[in-house]
Amino acid sequence: MKPDFERHLIPRDDALHLIGTLKVMKDKAHNAAHQWQLLDEDGHVPAAPSYTVLLQHATDAQDLSREVLRLTDEFARSPLHTTRVGSTVLTKLAWATTSSSHAPPYFAQTAEHALALLRSTNPADKQYLSNNMVHDHATGRAYLRRPSESLRDAGKELEDHLGFQRVLAQLTRQETPPAPPAPRPGGRPR
């Protein structure tokens, strides 16, 4: 490969490491979005929702958001983001960072509504708080699904890039000019 062209490639080991990191974070966000449930088996808000469980959702979402932010920061500081593929990956990481940062406040708001619901005696207030809990929790989960998708897409970009590198390596091996023929013994070179 030409040195000028190599500047546009992300080294294989760096790409593989980043793909692994992206997969772990994608799985965390995806699992949280699908496993953190507010409603019971019948699709109703529990009569006594657990403030501590809902607050733990906010804490875990904040931790995940920090991890995505740190990864995005590290990637943005590396020379990898200056390639075409790196720029695309950075864009997807930026979207994941923004989206994941919106999730924790919605989970915290859900926990706050749960605490107020436990103290409320007015049926209209209880209905209002229940509706807000459902809305806020669903919104928080949606803000976790979006970074999961962005992280998945960033990993796909890197996998495609590695595939391109494999094809390119095969092509450059085929295009290597053949060695000049050996001189004939006792004869003139051609």
Side-chain angles (χ1 to χ4, degrees):
M1 280 188 245
K2 300 175 185 168
D4 184 45
F5 190 76
E6 287 180 1
R7 289 184 320 172
H8 300 289
L9 299 177
I10 294 176
R12 180 173 164 38
D13 290 343
D14 291 341
L16 288 172
H17 175 71
L18 187 56
I19 288 169
T21 303
L22 290 168
K23 183 176 179 353
V24 167
M25 285 188 188
K26 174 201 67 90
D27 289 347
K28 280 184 185 179
H30 176 79
N31 292 341
H34 291 287
Q35 292 173 358
W36 295 351
Q37 298 293 323
L38 171 66
L39 304 179
D40 63 18
E41 304 84 39
D42 299 323
H44 298 101
V45 175
S50 173
Y51 173 75
T52 55
V53 168
L54 294 172
L55 197 57
Q56 187 63 49
H57 291 178
T59 301
D60 293 345
Q62 185 70 40
D63 291 344
L64 178 64
S65 179
R66 278 191 199 108
E67 286 181 46
V68 173
L69 178 62
R70 282 186 190 112
L71 176 64
T72 304
D73 180 56
E74 288 171 13
F75 190 77
R77 291 175 188 272
S78 78
L80 302 178
H81 84 277
T82 61
T83 66
R84 183 194 61 77
V85 170
S87 176
T88 302
V89 168
L90 183 58
T91 299
K92 293 180 184 311
L93 287 173
W95 172 242
T97 298
T98 301
S99 188
S100 67
S101 71
H102 290 301
Y106 282 97
F107 289 118
Q109 190 71 31
T110 302
E112 184 181 334
H113 291 315
L115 193 58
L117 183 64
L118 295 173
R119 295 180 176 159
S120 178
T121 57
N122 183 335
D125 288 345
K126 285 183 176 249
Q127 185 63 42
Y128 174 79
L129 291 167
S130 292
N131 290 343
N132 281 339
M133 281 177 52
V134 170
H135 175 268
D136 288 344
H137 200 269
T139 302
R141 290 174 64 203
Y143 276 122
L144 290 178
R145 277 191 300 277
R146 290 179 188 145
S148 172
E149 294 163 2
S150 293
L151 294 167
R152 178 202 62 211
D153 293 347
K156 177 92 172 79
E157 284 289 331
L158 289 167
E159 288 169 358
D160 291 349
H161 182 67
L162 290 177
F164 171 73
Q165 285 184 26
R166 281 190 293 276
V167 169
L168 187 62
Q170 290 172 351
L171 288 175
T172 55
R173 272 182 272 171
Q174 290 174 1
E175 292 177 5
T176 304
R184 292 188 303 183
R188 295 187 325 219
R190 292 185 192 193

